[in-house]
């Protein structure tokens, strides 16, 4: 299979599942796993500041984690299953949200509550 942005981020079953776990609750009915649509969501910023921050940061954390996972597999390392990688990305987002608490930005303060509310 040819590696493309569309496939790696987020058309393959593995990455699509994790992306949905991360932002499905935030995006709701607007959820998409189409690369061009995701880039549009991130670029246009039509959501609340809190929702936009969460989607953008989750995208960044997951894209980086997927790329690292892809490289690890290519170099013969043991693959991580969807649940494990999903937990790692969730932890990255949580750490960022905890780090920005008290920065006098309401949307960041609300982000932690919203993120935790969408975790299943």
């Amino acid at each position: 299979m040819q590696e493309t942005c569309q496939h790696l981020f987020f058309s393959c079953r593995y990455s699509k599942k994790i992306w949905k776990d991360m932002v499905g609750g935030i995006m709701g009915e607007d959820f998409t796993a189409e690369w061009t649509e995701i880039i549009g969501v991130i670029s246009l910023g039509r959501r609340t500041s809190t929702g936009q921050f969460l989607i953008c940061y989750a995208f960044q954390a997951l894209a980086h984690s997927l790329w690292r996972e892809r490289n690890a597999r290519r170099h013969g390392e043991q693959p991580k299953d969807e649940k494990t990688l999903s937990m790692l990305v969730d932890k990255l987002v949580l750490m960022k949200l905890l780090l920005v608490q008290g920065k006098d930005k309401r949307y960041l303060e609300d982000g932690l509550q919203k993120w935790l509310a969408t975790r299943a």
Side-chain angles (χ1 to χ4, degrees):
M1 174 165 298
Q2 184 180 6
E3 268 187 1
T4 64
C5 287
Q6 177 63 38
H7 175 73
L8 186 59
F9 315 107
F10 298 97
S11 287
C12 81
R13 186 174 32 91
Y14 180 82
S15 58
K16 184 178 183 177
K17 166 86 170 86
I18 300 168
W19 177 240
K20 186 165 180 76
D21 288 349
M22 293 298 105
V23 298
I26 297 164
M27 294 181 81
E29 292 181 12
D30 296 332
F31 175 80
T32 182
E34 293 296 319
W35 176 256
T36 54
E37 292 175 13
I38 294 168
I39 297 303
V41 166
I42 291 170
S43 316
L44 297 175
R46 294 185 176 153
R47 300 186 172 278
T48 64
S49 297
T50 301
Q52 191 66 25
F53 174 79
L54 292 174
I55 291 168
C56 288
Y57 194 74
F59 175 83
Q60 176 186 345
L62 181 54
H64 180 259
S65 297
L66 286 170
W67 190 252
R68 287 181 53 114
E69 176 64 15
R70 173 234 181 238
N71 287 343
R73 288 178 183 202
R74 289 189 67 140
H75 292 281
E77 292 181 27
Q78 186 69 20
K80 292 178 182 66
D81 62 26
E82 295 162 358
K83 185 175 181 177
T84 301
L85 192 61
S86 186
M87 287 173 33
L88 290 171
V89 174
D90 183 57
K91 198 174 283 190
L92 283 172
V93 174
L94 277 172
M95 298 280 249
K96 177 67 170 187
L97 291 168
L98 290 170
L99 183 68
V100 298
Q101 294 298 297
K103 300 286 185 191
D104 294 328
K105 303 255 189 234
R106 183 72 184 162
Y107 74 94
L108 294 174
E109 300 285 336
D110 294 343
L112 181 59
Q113 292 175 0
K114 184 168 180 120
W115 185 259
L116 292 173
T118 62
R119 304 295 90 206

